[in-house]
Amino acid sequence: TGMPDDVREAEERTWMQRAADLGYAEAQVRIGDMILATSPELALSWYRKAASQGDGGGIHRLGNLYYTGHGMEQNFAEAAKHYRQAIANGDTRATLDLAGMLLNGQGVAQDHTEAFKLFMTFITASGSEAHREEIKPRVAYAHQSIGQCYMNGEGVASNYEKGLDHYRIAAELGDVFAMNSLGSKSRSFGHWKEAVALFTKAAQAGSCAGRVNLALYYSRGTGVSSEGGGGDVRNFEAAKKLLLKAVKQVDDPQHVLAHLELGYVY
């Protein structure tokens, strides 16, 4: 509209607030989203108002808060319950969250078959919006999970090629797990350059595993050059830089391997 961002945001909030006060569930959810980071308890009250009207978005948000424990006590069983209710009330985004819980048996009995179906439902519902920046990571996660199901024969008949197809889509959408998985498979077939390209992409996206895997190539001089453009030239300095970043990622199990590899490259 040509307005400065702060003016536009203030106007949006003013009118959304009025609509929320008048009882519009969609506006109540939007107001909750706007204030969640700074006022989680107040946001919770708006989500509950929307949910009480059967709004799928409000119910979904409550499920998210139960899952994360943000503004309330963490409760995975309640999160799953709310995700199911949100789906029943038309919120297809909740299918992905419930699918993840079913895949891992988190707060619910593990059920790969239902998880697989829900992942597929989410992808179908995403349709043409799959490449929108705000939804792209969730679509990527869905494809990565479907690829994993096909690879492991979990919830669906094992199909290596279909698994690879979904991993490739996930990697294109920015999923680092898929990038590393494809890189490892390329490595197992001796496709060094393809593996390096995938690990490089994962490392650039901040993946600890990607950094460790790429560092191994630099330290061994396989598939990379000192400029990163192919050949068989060892580059210990490049390996060190990657590993020094990886060791700081203490929430990732791969950071342990990074410590070991640093010992070797020094």
Side-chain angles (χ1 to χ4, degrees), residues 7 18 45 49 57 68 80 87 89 101 140 190 202 207 224 232 255 260-261:
V7 175
R18 292 181 184 180
S45 71
K49 287 179 180 179
T68 61
I87 294 168
N89 282 274
M101 298 186 79
S207 165
V224 293
D232 293 324
H255 91 282
L260 175 67
E261 291 301 322

Side-chain angles (χ1 to χ4, degrees), residues 15-96:
W15 291 105
M16 281 292 176
Q17 184 69 60
R18 292 181 184 180
D21 290 338
L22 288 169
Y24 285 94
E26 183 179 344
Q28 291 168 343
V29 172
R30 182 69 181 127
I31 285 293
D33 291 346
M34 289 177 174
I35 64 176
L36 179 60
T38 56
S39 305
E41 292 183 1
L42 185 56
L44 174 60
S45 71
W46 283 115
Y47 293 149
R48 282 181 169 150
K49 287 179 180 179
S52 70
Q53 299 184 62
D55 182 82
I59 300 169
H60 185 191
R61 300 307 197 281
L62 288 177
N64 289 341
L65 295 182
Y66 274 117
Y67 186 86
T68 61
H70 189 58
M72 61 169 64
E73 185 175 350
Q74 190 176 52
N75 188 321
F76 291 142
E78 279 295 320
K81 174 183 173 182
H82 279 76
Y83 289 150
R84 287 193 185 280
Q85 290 175 352
I87 294 168
N89 282 274
D91 191 306
T92 56
R93 293 169 298 177
T95 57
L96 182 67

Side-chain angles (χ1 to χ4, degrees), residues 170-261:
E172 289 171 3
L173 290 170
D175 187 274
V176 294
F177 179 91
M179 294 174 198
N180 284 307
S181 295
L182 285 171
S184 295
K185 295 183 188 306
S186 295
R187 177 175 58 197
S188 69
F189 288 110
H191 301 155
W192 310 118
K193 289 185 179 180
E194 183 179 347
V196 167
L198 287 160
F199 290 142
T200 298
K201 190 175 180 181
Q204 290 172 343
S207 165
C208 183
R211 286 167 172 164
V212 173
N213 282 317
L214 185 57
L216 293 177
Y217 278 92
Y218 276 120
S219 65
R220 288 160 176 69
T222 307
V224 293
S225 71
S226 56
E227 294 79 29
D232 293 324
V233 179
R234 291 188 176 189
N235 188 333
F236 291 115
E237 287 306 312
K240 286 177 188 176
K241 288 180 181 179
L242 288 162
L243 293 169
L244 286 170
K245 290 180 179 179
V247 294
K248 296 177 181 178
Q249 295 175 261
V250 295
D251 292 332
D252 192 304
Q254 288 291 321
H255 91 282
V256 177
L257 180 58
H259 283 82
L260 175 67
E261 291 301 322

